[in-house]
Amino acid sequence: MSVGDLERETMRRVTGRLMPLIIVCYIVAYIDRSNVSVAALSMNEAIGLTAAQFGLGVSMFFVTYVIFEIPSNIVLARIGARRWIARIMISWGIVSACMALVQGEKSFIIVRLLLGAAEAGFTPGIIWYLARWFPASHRGRAMGRFYVGAALATVIGAPISGFIMKMDGFLDVAGWQWLFVVEGLPAVLLGFVVLRFLTDEPREAGWLPERGRTWLVERLAREQAEIDGQRAISVRQALASPGVLLLALFFFLYSFNSIGLTLWMPQVIQGGFGEPSDFVTALLTAVPYALAVVAMVLVARGVDRRGRHALHMAVPMAASGVMLVGSVLAGPGVLGFALLALSTGAAWSAVPALWGSATSFMTGVAAAAGVALINSVANIAGLAVTPLIGVVKEATGSFDAPLLVIAGAMFLAAAVAMASGPFTAPGRLAAETAAKAERDPA
């Protein structure tokens, strides 16, 4: 078997073993995070929540998520992904099911805070884990497949939640309570599956043929040595590096679309495209994220073939901004909706390049902390962007101005992506650290 054939066969086995489980876990995580929006249709009245109280409670998830994300990822890097990801999933599944027990504003806020703390570190933990298994030339596709889970969760999550809500009154339990219990249990069960089937390191992969396992370990070791250069990188150096900070700013701006627009998408569609029924709105809401699945897969392949992470981040974001402006100018109708959907797909397609870039110039615990910081900054959008869109919409009477605000964020993200390029080249941070040490030996 040639080296090329060995590489293809090894990575085929790694992908087949790891990615299906990881994608399913991410789908469940995304549904558990967002199913409260469907539950609110009857929960708010049942437990006496006003719209303002509900909005405050929902945002509390992001408070503890941001606080605990970096510590969680550092622990994961030190004790191993298998045990820590299993812990995350089991604890968030239990807490998510406990949402069925909330009785008012205070208990609602407390459980949302606990849910954010329980889930903190899952996404950056998986990103770090994938970098431990996929060489640079395969990493873009791996990141793209992982984020497909988020898009698929948006496509399938609402219909599933709506179906569970129809269990209202079964065994004298409200439909919104069944929703939290039924959708929380899969996370607990998957936690034990992760504990059984996930493997921490390639060298421990008894399910890989010896020759393939040796090739993968040696390939990843060579790449790590090239990145580390002359000196290992500390967590503090990683968190303060311009590359990490620019990628964090990029991901925050990107989240105007992925968090802000996603949470408002059904209302944007009903408010700006002919007032379709709730059922038609749900179907139309799935279209942009179905396109996102296709776009992420295609762009991920380009990243693996050509590298150039900054360009693969900037071009989709600029295209997203242009199409979003075009959607506003086109107004209600097929063209306006098509441009909105294409804009969403384009924005999401930049994610594989982002994480490929973040894992190209850091390794080890420093990479775990850097990835967690990038993801934490993005989640601040959960606290800031969603209310901003609501305020602008109320002030202007339509979603045109909020969509233009999101388009502006996409253009800024494209500029930040290009600025990040010189600071995220493989080995750049290690080289800078070594050079600084030579200038200042003390």
Side-chain angles (χ1 to χ4, degrees), residues 208-222:
L208 275 178
E210 183 176 354
R211 188 179 176 194
R213 184 169 63 250
T214 300
W215 170 84
L216 182 58
V217 170
E218 291 178 351
R219 171 74 171 270
L220 291 167
R222 284 198 305 271

Side-chain angles (χ1 to χ4, degrees), residues 7 55 79 118 141 160 220 229 231 261 308 313 329 345 351 389 404 409:
E7 177 176 353
I79 74 170
R141 279 166 289 180
I160 292 175
L220 291 167
R231 187 178 296 271
L261 183 54
R308 306 186 70 178
M313 293 158 59
L329 295 177
V351 175
I389 292 174
L404 292 175

Side-chain angles (χ1 to χ4, degrees), residues 402-418:
L403 290 178
L404 292 175
V405 170
I406 296 171
M410 301 301 95
F411 291 128
L412 286 174
V416 172
M418 293 306 297

Side-chain angles (χ1 to χ4, degrees), residues 376-399:
S376 293
V377 172
N379 276 289
I380 293 174
L383 292 169
V385 177
T386 306
L388 173 64
I389 292 174
V391 169
V392 176
K393 193 267 181 183
E394 288 294 327
T396 60
S398 79
F399 279 104

Side-chain angles (χ1 to χ4, degrees), residues 124-147:
I126 293 293
I127 296 297
W128 178 85
Y129 178 72
L130 292 177
R132 306 278 289 184
W133 279 89
F134 288 86
S137 60
H138 296 267
R139 201 168 295 158
R141 279 166 289 180
M143 302 299 178
R145 292 185 185 105
F146 172 54
Y147 263 85

Side-chain angles (χ1 to χ4, degrees), residues 32-117:
D32 280 353
R33 176 190 294 194
S34 59
N35 59 8
V36 67
S37 62
V38 177
L41 297 175
S42 58
M43 178 189 69
N44 287 5
E45 182 178 355
I47 66 174
L49 287 183
T50 66
Q53 290 170 337
F54 173 77
L56 175 63
V58 168
S59 69
M60 290 299 100
F61 169 91
F62 296 99
V63 173
T64 46
Y65 194 99
V66 169
I67 290 172
F68 290 105
E69 194 156 23
I70 293 176
S72 175
N73 230 33
I74 291 175
V75 172
L76 179 146
R78 288 178 173 163
I79 74 170
R82 181 180 63 87
R83 287 181 292 171
W84 196 246
I85 290 174
R87 192 284 304 163
I88 289 174
M89 298 195 65
I90 293 169
S91 61
W92 104 50
I94 293 172
V95 174
S96 182
C98 287
M99 284 289 297
L101 303 176
V102 299
Q103 298 179 355
E105 181 186 13
K106 290 183 179 179
S107 59
F108 180 62
I109 288 175
I110 290 171
V111 178
R112 289 295 292 180
L113 285 168
L114 291 174
L115 185 61

Side-chain angles (χ1 to χ4, degrees), residues 150-204:
L152 288 177
T154 306
V155 171
I156 68 177
I160 292 175
S161 297
F163 177 78
I164 296 173
M165 289 280 282
K166 292 183 178 180
M167 296 174 64
D168 187 49
F170 180 63
L171 299 179
D172 292 326
V173 176
W176 64 269
Q177 293 175 308
W178 278 118
L179 174 64
F180 289 122
V181 172
V182 172
E183 292 188 346
L185 288 178
V188 177
L189 297 176
L190 281 170
F192 289 102
V193 174
V194 165
L195 201 59
R196 172 65 178 83
F197 286 100
L198 218 59
T199 308
D200 281 325
E201 301 284 349
R203 66 175 180 271
E204 301 171 359

